[in-house]
């Protein structure tokens, strides 16, 4: 009898433990695994849904992005100092085709040859443009450059399409990224070569021509993102004869963002006239140095940024109301075949105060200057409006993401996004469930 009681108690204890294990398993499934499964499906469906409505004409390739939650210091962007942008001292200046304008009545215009290279071509240590074919591997490139030089010479002579004067400038020789300090914060490492505005315009024209016939392809930039951007640094750098800063200015304590409408008087190689651009769009110049405005010393991001703010917005170089530039992205513009830095800063004042400032380049660059509330709905409406230059729209979407503004790309599309979400959710649910059951 005692043995029977012992067996009964043992069986009851085993059955109790077994029952508890089953209850625990199903409780865990009901209260943990099942809700976790639905959260996973919901997140994945939401991402796929947003991607469906994301602009399909993205014009930028991100070379590197900083200032996101993936970084230890989410708000700082890239670290940069006076060593971040280096002058390699290499020279690329095309010879101005004097013969093109020799038959024109130079005395009747303000045109002067003194700012142009009227001697031999200077091509990275060589004096003939055929060296560019050796660098790029593109046959017939010399002929294209000669034709483009003649077209640009006539534009400079007549001061059309923004070719008002020739000036010293920089092209992009190489771009790389490092990590700095114990926190391994992202750091810019860019090398430049010396050029001029005429050479920039010629090579830009040639690049657009080669893009149209398929000789150049942005896809090669994308495929080389993980190999030190070798295709830019070793092959394509002669076409990237400029480097610019595109900066958004926030006013009214960060509640407003300033955009400018591109003027038809500006150098518009594409149809950008009348569309919104970033607050500042300024190319690096040989005057952007730390010690002198005559081309000596170190080129700095801060100097280019401040000069752009002065020339385009009228903010004095040493005005404390303009905050430091936070560079959050280095990007490649596919349609322009150009590289630029994207940043944002604050102006410690109102938009009206900023708009009232006189700036020398406003009549040349801007049709108007406008302000928008830096909140979800106004930004969503703006991004979907089609009024932004494509690359500026892409940069604004990334800035909103960095600043915690979740742009709604479905705004203004009626009730159809709801049905699309249901369709995507059901598909994601079935696919995920099938995958889990097959494991």
């Amino acid at each position: 009898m005692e043995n029977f009681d012992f067996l009964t108690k043992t069986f009851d204890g085993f059955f109790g433990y077994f029952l508890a294990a089953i209850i625990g398993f199903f409780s865990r499934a009901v209260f943990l695994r099942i809700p976790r499964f639905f959260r996973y499906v919901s997140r994945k469906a939401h991402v796929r849904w947003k991607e469906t409505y994301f602009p399909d004409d993205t014009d930028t390739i991100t070379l590197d992005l900083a200032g996101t939650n993936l970084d230890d210091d989410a708000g700082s962007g890239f670290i940069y100092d006076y060593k971040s942008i280096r002058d390699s001292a290499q020279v690329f200046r095309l010879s101005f085709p004097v013969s093109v304008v020799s038959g024109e009545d130079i005395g009747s215009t303000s045109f002067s040859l003194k700012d142009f290279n009227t001697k031999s071509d200077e091509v990275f240590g060589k004096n003939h443009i055929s060296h560019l074919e050796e660098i790029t591997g593109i046959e017939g490139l010399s002929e294209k450059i000669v034709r483009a030089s003649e077209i640009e010479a006539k534009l400079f002579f007549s001061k059309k399409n923004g070719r008002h004067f020739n000036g010293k400038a920089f092209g992009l020789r190489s771009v790389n990224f490092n990590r700095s300090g114990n926190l391994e914060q992202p750091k810019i490492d860019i090398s430049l070569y010396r050029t001029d505005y005429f050479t920039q315009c010629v090579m830009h024209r040639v690049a657009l021509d080669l893009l149209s016939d398929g000789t150049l392809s942005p896809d090669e930039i994308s495929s080389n993102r993980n190999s030190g951007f070798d295709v830019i640094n070793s092959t394509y750098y002669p076409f990237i004869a400029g480097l610019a800063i595109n900066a958004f200015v926030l006013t009214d304590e960060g509640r407003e963002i300033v955009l400018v409408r591109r003027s038809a008087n500006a150098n518009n190689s594409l149809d950008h006239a009348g569309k919104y651009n970033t607050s500042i769009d300024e190319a690096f110049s040989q005057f952007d140095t730390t010690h002198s405005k005559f081309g000596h010393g170190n080129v700095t991001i801060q100097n280019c940024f401040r000069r752009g703010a002065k020339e385009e917005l009228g903010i004095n170089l040493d005005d404390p109301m303009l905050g430091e530039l936070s560079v959050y992205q280095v990007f490649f513009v596919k349609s322009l075949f150009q590289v630029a830095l994207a940043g944002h800063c604050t102006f410690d004042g109102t938009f009206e105060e900023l708009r009232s400032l006189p700036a020398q380049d406003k009549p040349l660059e801007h049709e108007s200057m406008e302000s928008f509330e830096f909140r979800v709905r106004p930004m969503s409406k703006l991004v979907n409006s089609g009024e932004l230059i494509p690359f500026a729209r892409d940069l604004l979407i990334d800035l909103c993401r960095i600043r915690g503004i979740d742009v709604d790309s479905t705004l203004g599309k009626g009730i159809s996004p709801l049905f699309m979400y249901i369709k995507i959710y059901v598909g994601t649910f079935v696919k995920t469930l099938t995958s889990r059951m097959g494991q």
Side-chain angles (χ1 to χ4, degrees):
M1 189 69 177
E2 291 181 358
N3 290 337
F4 179 77
D5 291 340
F6 172 77
L7 291 174
T8 301
K9 291 180 180 178
T10 301
F11 177 78
D12 289 343
F14 174 79
F15 180 76
Y17 283 124
F18 179 73
L19 183 62
I22 292 177
I23 294 173
F25 173 80
F26 282 102
S27 297
R28 181 178 179 83
V30 171
F31 294 106
L32 291 177
R33 293 187 178 182
I34 292 178
R36 187 183 302 166
F37 171 80
F38 279 101
R39 285 197 300 270
Y40 173 82
V41 170
S42 180
R43 286 196 301 267
K44 202 165 186 68
H46 183 73
V47 170
R48 289 176 176 174
W49 177 67
K50 290 197 69 174
E51 288 176 349
T52 301
Y53 289 92
F54 194 83
D56 57 4
D57 59 340
T58 301
D59 195 30
T60 59
I61 296 172
T62 299
L63 301 183
D64 203 0
L65 182 68
T68 69
N69 291 330
L70 298 178
D71 297 311
D72 292 307
D73 188 355
S76 64
F78 287 101
I79 293 176
Y80 63 86
D81 54 26
Y82 69 95
K83 295 180 181 179
S84 299
I85 307 286
R86 303 187 312 279
D87 178 3
S88 70
Q90 296 185 43
V91 179
F92 176 31
R93 293 186 71 203
L94 295 173
S95 175
F96 187 85
V98 180
S99 59
V100 173
V101 298
S102 60
E104 304 288 342
D105 184 8
I106 296 180
S108 64
T109 69
S110 59
F111 180 78
S112 173
L113 289 171
K114 68 180 182 66
D115 295 325
F116 294 87
N117 174 24
T118 56
K119 300 178 182 178
S120 300
D121 296 304
E122 299 178 74
V123 187
F124 303 104
K126 304 291 180 66
N127 59 2
H128 50 84
I129 57 176
S130 60
H131 182 48
L132 294 174
E133 295 187 10
E134 299 172 11
I135 295 173
T136 63
I138 299 175
E139 296 182 4
L141 182 59
S142 299
E143 289 76 11
K144 289 183 178 290
I145 292 174
V146 169
R147 289 196 297 271
S149 295
E150 293 173 350
I151 295 172
E152 288 296 333
K154 293 178 181 179
L155 291 176
F156 273 90
F157 178 81
S158 58
K159 298 185 182 298
K160 293 181 179 179
N161 294 4
R163 275 66 164 176
H164 303 289
F165 58 88
N166 190 34
K168 297 178 179 180
F170 281 114
L172 178 66
R173 180 59 187 84
S174 66
V175 54
N176 290 287
F177 304 95
N178 297 313
R179 294 281 163 169
S180 176
N182 294 330
L183 296 179
E184 295 190 350
Q185 292 175 283
K187 188 173 183 179
I188 300 173
D189 181 12
I190 289 176
S191 176
L192 306 175
Y193 58 80
R194 300 177 185 182
T195 186
D196 60 14
Y197 185 48
F198 172 72
T199 303
Q200 285 183 342
C201 291
V202 171
M203 295 308 296
H204 183 54
R205 180 176 293 274
V206 172
L208 293 182
D209 185 30
L210 294 174
L211 276 174
S212 65
D213 66 21
T215 303
L216 289 180
S217 173
D219 293 338
E220 295 185 50
I221 305 292
S222 300
S223 63
N224 278 268
R225 285 189 60 197
N226 296 322
S227 59
F229 316 110
D230 290 340
V231 72
I232 291 177
N233 299 345
S234 65
T235 305
Y236 284 161
Y237 60 88
F239 298 111
I240 308 176
L243 179 69
I245 292 176
N246 287 89
F248 294 100
V249 176
L250 300 171
T251 65
D252 299 81
E253 298 182 341
R255 294 190 296 268
E256 303 279 330
I257 189 169
V258 177
L259 300 177
V260 298
R261 283 194 184 272
R262 190 78 166 157
S263 170
N265 297 321
N267 179 2
N268 290 301
S269 50
L270 299 176
D271 187 21
H272 290 166
K275 291 195 172 184
Y276 288 118
N277 194 11
T278 54
S279 316
I280 299 171
D281 184 352
E282 188 64 43
F284 279 85
S285 163
Q286 292 183 34
F287 299 110
D288 298 324
T289 58
T290 55
H291 305 305
S292 170
K293 66 179 182 179
F294 300 108
H296 304 292
N298 298 303
V299 183
T300 68
I301 292 175
Q302 186 69 9
N303 281 1
C304 178
F305 162 63
R306 286 278 174 173
R307 179 175 57 81
K310 170 63 176 175
E311 295 178 359
E312 298 188 8
L313 302 180
I315 304 173
N316 289 330
L317 296 176
D318 57 352
D319 193 335
M321 294 182 72
L322 182 66
E324 294 291 319
L325 177 70
S326 175
V327 179
Y328 65 90
Q329 187 175 167
V330 182
F331 64 99
F332 177 85
V333 185
K334 294 187 286 187
S335 62
L336 299 173
F337 213 80
Q338 293 294 302
V339 173
L341 314 180
H344 61 89
C345 64
T346 58
F347 177 76
D348 189 17
T350 66
F351 169 68
E352 293 302 327
E353 289 177 295
L354 179 60
R355 184 163 59 177
S356 66
L357 298 175
Q360 67 184 59
D361 285 351
K362 276 185 179 179
L364 297 176
E365 302 286 345
H366 303 165
E367 179 182 302
S368 64
M369 181 188 299
E370 299 177 32
S371 179
F372 299 85
E373 289 183 84
F374 197 48
R375 296 187 297 105
V376 172
R377 188 169 181 79
M379 291 297 96
S380 300
K381 184 178 179 181
L382 181 61
V383 163
N384 288 285
S385 68
E387 293 193 75
L388 282 158
I389 295 174
F391 77 82
R393 178 205 60 205
D394 298 344
L395 300 181
L396 182 58
I397 290 173
D398 285 333
L399 176 62
C400 287
R401 180 157 56 91
I402 288 170
R403 297 295 293 259
I405 296 176
D406 187 14
V407 172
D408 181 7
S409 54
T410 69
L411 190 67
K413 293 181 171 59
I415 197 171
S416 61
L418 175 60
F419 293 106
M420 177 60 73
Y421 180 77
I422 294 173
K423 177 182 177 181
I424 292 174
Y425 185 91
V426 172
T428 304
F429 177 87
V430 172
K431 185 177 180 179
T432 304
L433 183 62
T434 303
S435 175
R436 295 285 177 88
M437 292 177 66
Q439 291 178 353

